[in-house]
Amino acid sequence: MNGKTLSLSFQHVLAMYGGAVIVPLIVGGAIGLTSLQLTYLVAIDLMMCGVATLLQVMRNKFFGIGLPVVLGCTFTAVGPMISIGQSYGVSAIYGSIITAGILVTIFAKFFGKLVRFFPPVVTGSVVTIIGITLIPVAMKDMAGGEGASDFGSLSNIGLAFGVLLFIILLFRFFKGFVRSVAILIGLVGGTIVGAFMGKVDITPVKEASWLHLPEVFHFGFPTFNVMAILTMVLVAIVSLVESTGVYFALSDICEEEINEDDLARGYRAEGLAILFGGLFNAFPYTTYSQNVGLLQLSGVKSRKVIATAGGMLIVLGFLPKLAAITTIIPHPVLGGAMVAMFGMVVAYGIKMLSEVNFASQENLLIIACSVGMGLGVTVVPDLFAKFPTALQILTGNGIVAGSITAIVLNLIFNVSVSKKSEREKVSVLRSASERIS
């Protein structure tokens, strides 16, 4: 392996590193994990990102799309995981991830036939709801983190907005690779400034070991809650719709035709990645579109480069001392970066909705009712408290309530009872390729 391959692979690691570490920091912080537990979560997430990437890059009869794609934790899962963890406990998070992974793996071959039930009016509404419900998490961190003694202090607010401004300036004056790692640069720069302000405690780094081995069920045996499972299955479906777009984009870039069997192997690899994420107490995984942009930028389309990047991530996962460095990032720094990242989730949902025919009153009604229901239940969680338990499975969570509303209304207004031809199905799938950022 030559230096060029290593350097190109390291670029891909950097491009996804910010997203890979900030997800466990946000979720772990929101559900009350200790610094030691956060260190494990970051390390195991990096390792599982590598494993998930290798599962997808390797092509065989059962799994793997065989395209140069990098996988990481989907931001679509952040809000649902926090909600599940706060409502039912950490064990329910991993029970839902494991179940979702099993279902995606089993039904991978049939997913292509279900895509017609998740057009942009549905997926765009769901992603928009998820992004909006995440914003309060960012706001609390900007102020110093919930329960902080200096919550809302000028120093916290100033540091948070400084990080946000720095990220905005990086996007304004740089292009290409610098843009792809702008969040990571913002986190590093903000932490350095935070250290001079006395907001960084390096104790977790000192206490972390240099080497550790991953553990199955590190946070305890999973529990299986119907509401949590339903939420995570919806997240997995939305992620697969997004992945479909990445698959088709990469097939065009690499000039490789893909068919339904290829898509099924890709979905199955993603299902296995989600399953492993649940078993090792990590996250559900999906394709990272920012690495597609980097692949276009570099012009190097080699699977070997991506496989090497996956290997690098696995090695990083064995080194908790390095993972612990990320846990010392001050809350205001995270908050400033999260405003940009969660805002991008909302913007991405709106981008997906831009493909919708807004001349149709039916589509407007689907978006209005689903977003309204999702936000309404999130703001007033006791709205359906007196309903039977069986119904509360569908109404007790804003993301689930909004998603179910969008799916049902789309079935009522837009889905024809006539069967679509194979050509039409492929056309629907290919149109998803326009949704990557």
Side-chain angles (χ1 to χ4, degrees):
M1 189 180 299
N2 56 37
K4 182 179 179 182
T5 299
L6 287 173
S7 61
L8 288 170
S9 300
F10 188 59
Q11 274 194 129
H12 278 284
V13 171
L14 286 177
M16 58 83 65
Y17 192 83
V21 300
I22 201 170
V23 169
L25 293 178
I26 295 166
V27 175
I31 61 178
L33 297 186
T34 65
S35 295
L36 192 62
Q37 290 172 322
L38 274 177
T39 297
Y40 174 84
L41 197 60
V42 172
I44 199 65
D45 180 41
L46 291 171
M47 182 180 294
M48 288 298 110
C49 284
V51 171
T53 298
L54 292 180
L55 285 172
Q56 200 64 279
V57 171
M58 295 186 299
R59 177 187 288 161
N60 55 53
K61 291 184 178 180
F62 184 66
F63 63 83
I65 192 74
L67 293 170
V69 58
V70 175
L71 274 75
C73 176
T74 170
F75 263 89
T76 309
V78 173
M81 288 181 71
I82 292 173
S83 177
I84 293 169
Q86 292 176 341
S87 300
Y88 310 109
V90 177
S91 60
I93 294 175
Y94 296 110
S96 67
I97 293 174
I98 290 169
T99 306
I102 292 171
L103 291 175
V104 170
T105 304
I106 293 173
F107 295 106
K109 189 170 180 63
F110 305 101
F111 179 72
K113 306 178 191 302
L114 299 177
V115 167
R116 61 189 291 243
F117 297 109
F118 295 89
V121 69
V122 173
T123 54
S125 297
V126 173
V127 173
T128 302
I129 293 166
I130 290 172
I132 291 172
T133 58
L134 284 171
I135 296 298
V137 177
M139 293 293 108
K140 290 175 183 177
D141 268 355
M142 287 184 77
E146 195 167 9
S149 58
D150 60 346
F151 189 89
S153 67
L154 288 177
S155 61
N156 286 340
I157 300 298
L159 179 58
F161 275 103
V163 170
L164 179 58
L165 178 61
F166 183 40
I167 292 170
I168 291 170
L169 291 175
L170 288 174
F171 268 84
R172 171 64 180 84
F173 294 106
F174 294 90
K175 294 182 180 180
F177 179 66
V178 173
R179 274 194 177 189
S180 70
V181 296
I183 298 292
L184 180 61
I185 296 172
L187 290 173
V188 172
T191 302
I192 292 171
V193 174
F196 284 105
M197 298 172 67
K199 296 182 180 293
V200 174
D201 179 10
I202 63 172
T203 304
V205 180
K206 293 179 180 178
E207 293 178 348
S209 59
W210 280 105
L211 185 68
H212 78 153
L213 296 176
E215 290 181 62
V216 175
F217 304 145
H218 178 80
F219 295 123
F221 198 79
T223 56
F224 300 91
N225 178 279
V226 177
M227 170 77 85
I229 290 170
L230 182 60
T231 303
M232 200 55 65
V233 168
L234 285 169
V235 168
I237 291 173
V238 172
S239 296
L240 288 177
V241 172
E242 294 178 37
S243 293
T244 303
V246 175
Y247 298 155
F248 276 113
L250 281 171
S251 73
D252 290 338
I253 293 170
C254 299
E255 299 178 350
E256 292 185 29
E257 287 293 325
I258 57 175
N259 53 38
E260 280 197 11
D261 289 336
D262 295 320
L263 290 173
R265 287 198 302 273
Y267 301 147
R268 204 170 286 120
E270 207 158 307
L272 289 172
I274 294 170
L275 174 59
F276 288 143
L279 291 174
F280 287 94
N281 290 171
F283 298 91
Y285 293 96
T286 190
T287 53
Y288 262 21
S289 56
Q290 58 261 51
N291 288 87
V292 178
L294 181 57
L295 189 141
Q296 289 177 300
L297 183 68
S298 66
V300 179
K301 308 165 188 177
S302 168
R303 285 192 293 163
K304 182 180 179 181
V305 169
I306 302 301
T308 303
M312 288 179 174
L313 288 166
I314 291 173
V315 171
L316 287 172
F318 281 105
L319 305 173
K321 184 75 77 174
L322 294 179
I325 294 174
T326 63
T327 67
I328 66 175
I329 300 173
H331 282 285
V333 175
L334 277 176
M338 283 193 287
V339 168
M341 297 185 79
F342 294 165
M344 287 297 287
V345 175
V346 178
Y348 189 55
I350 295 171
K351 179 183 176 183
M352 296 168 80
L353 289 173
S354 68
E355 299 177 31
V356 175
N357 176 18
F358 284 108
S360 165
Q361 290 294 321
E362 290 86 353
N363 285 337
L364 290 175
L365 188 63
I366 292 169
I367 297 168
C369 290
S370 59
V371 174
M373 183 62 70
L375 286 178
V377 174
T378 300
V379 175
V380 189
D382 296 329
L383 178 64
F384 299 107
K386 296 187 183 298
F387 273 40
T389 304
L391 282 178
Q392 287 188 42
I393 291 171
L394 302 177
T395 60
N397 178 285
I399 296 169
V400 174
S403 301
I404 295 296
T405 302
I407 293 168
V408 171
L409 290 181
N410 181 65
L411 287 172
I412 293 171
F413 290 123
N414 292 334
V415 176
S416 169
V417 294
S418 63
K419 291 185 178 180
K420 289 192 174 185
S421 66
E422 292 301 311
R423 186 175 180 180
E424 287 173 314
K425 290 176 186 175
V426 172
S427 177
V428 171
L429 288 169
R430 186 171 291 277
S431 69
S433 65
E434 299 174 4
R435 298 180 198 148
I436 68 166
S437 52

